[in-house]
Amino acid sequence: MAELSFRYAEEKDSELILYFIKEIAKYENMLDEVDATVDLIKKGVFETKTAEVLFIQEDNKEVGFALFFHNFSTFTGKPGLYLEDIFIKEEYRHKGYGKATLKKLAKIAIDRDCARFEWVCLDWNEPSIQFYTSLGAKPMDEWTIYRLSGEALKKLAED
């Protein structure tokens, strides 16, 4: 029987992190939007510690990853844990690894006194939506995410 485990990424894993980022981007049909590089991963995850990465392992082999960071809730006065990405290679899905990973992240959130554990899901990803709601996660239908990036971000900063 396969053994599931988790480990935090180290700087030497930067290329592997980028690999998983590209794999999730392929799955989401967004590979052309990936600008991340190994150097940017090293800087953001290991130098400035803007995010953390947890590898999902089967028999000590990396089969997926979760990239997360802290945000802050003004209403609760506490940090939250925000899951930016979770990805498990297709051949390792349907083994309970996704649920185990979310459980691990929920434990990290509780241990760090976070009031919330949040993430977003693409509207078309019905299997993930069903999975998340089966865990008790609630969609935040009354909220719309807004994003500034690229030229729009630069323009606003200059005005």
Side-chain angles (χ1 to χ4, degrees):
M1 185 166 182
E3 182 182 333
L4 174 67
S5 61
F6 300 96
R7 75 169 180 88
Y8 284 97
E10 301 173 25
E11 188 170 346
K12 67 182 180 180
D13 297 313
S14 297
E15 197 168 311
L16 182 58
I17 295 168
L18 183 58
Y19 163 79
F20 279 117
I21 290 169
K22 288 181 177 180
E23 288 299 299
I24 195 169
K26 282 185 210 172
Y27 176 78
E28 294 176 344
N29 298 313
M30 299 172 78
L31 187 57
D32 60 328
E33 294 187 33
V34 175
D35 293 328
T37 64
V38 170
D39 287 339
L40 288 171
I41 298 297
K42 284 180 182 178
K43 180 179 179 184
V45 176
F46 303 105
E47 291 174 24
T48 63
K49 299 187 186 310
T50 305
E52 297 177 67
V53 174
L54 194 65
F55 284 117
I56 304 152
Q57 298 181 295
E58 181 182 274
D59 296 330
N60 295 314
K61 176 183 175 187
E62 290 78 13
V63 300
F65 88 129
L67 188 143
F68 61 97
F69 54 88
H70 288 280
N71 54 19
F72 189 83
S73 168
T74 55
F75 286 13
T76 67
K78 291 184 171 190
L81 194 76
Y82 186 85
L83 175 61
E84 178 69 22
D85 283 319
I86 180 172
F87 180 81
I88 299 169
K89 291 180 180 181
E90 190 172 356
E91 62 270 27
Y92 295 95
R93 295 179 193 156
H94 308 290
K95 293 182 166 194
Y97 294 174
K99 183 175 183 178
T101 304
L102 291 176
K103 185 176 181 173
K104 174 75 172 174
L105 291 167
K107 183 172 179 356
I108 291 168
I110 293 297
D111 291 348
R112 295 180 183 182
D113 197 30
C114 294
R116 299 174 176 160
F117 175 28
E118 299 173 310
W119 60 92
V120 297
C121 181
L122 291 167
D123 292 339
W124 59 258
N125 194 343
E126 194 58 39
S128 292
I129 292 168
Q130 289 178 9
F131 169 62
Y132 297 144
T133 57
S134 77
L135 299 174
K138 304 283 186 228
M140 303 294 292
D141 295 333
E142 67 274 15
W143 295 88
T144 300
I145 297 172
Y146 289 89
R147 176 180 293 164
L148 278 173
S149 62
E151 290 304 312
L153 176 62
K154 290 177 188 173
K155 185 177 185 314
L156 181 60
E158 292 170 357
D159 288 347

